[in-house]
Amino acid sequence: SITEKGFEPESFTIVAGTEVVLKAIRSTENTCAKELIVSATKEKKKLPLNEPIEFEMGNLKKGTHSFYCGMKMLKGTIKAQ
């Protein structure tokens, strides 16, 4: 979720090798996060207000994978263990 506080949650942990679909919905106009970029796939998508979007990330290898707003002011992480 993208709120006035930023990404909520801003980080989470998964089992490495798990297929991941990152789902997000922007619920406020009061954020710079009007688009989302996922480092694992280098994919960028616009975040329309109150419309869910999905990123197919595939099977994430062990490590920390980032996602962030288009201005790189807000950042979140997925830790694959």
Side-chain angles (χ1 to χ4, degrees):
S1 209
I2 297 95
T3 69
E4 292 178 358
K5 296 179 183 178
F7 297 123
E8 292 189 62
E10 67 180 23
S11 65
F12 48 96
T13 303
I14 63 155
V15 174
T18 301
E19 189 165 322
V20 175
V21 177
L22 180 64
K23 298 178 182 181
I25 186 166
R26 179 171 61 94
S27 60
T28 183
E29 283 287 348
N30 299 326
T31 181
C32 69
K34 304 258 167 69
E35 60 185 12
L36 185 65
I37 302 166
V38 175
S39 64
T41 62
K42 309 258 189 288
E43 188 176 9
K44 175 173 34 174
K45 290 187 180 182
K46 292 192 183 296
L47 295 171
L49 186 63
N50 295 321
E51 290 183 36
I53 59 105
E54 293 186 356
F55 286 88
E56 301 277 341
M57 298 179 67
N59 297 325
L60 291 182
K61 295 179 182 177
K62 189 174 184 177
T64 301
H65 307 274
S66 302
F67 54 93
Y68 42 90
C69 73
M71 295 171 46
K72 297 186 180 177
M73 294 179 68
L74 300 174
K75 183 179 176 184
T77 56
I78 302 168
K79 186 171 185 180
Q81 297 181 332

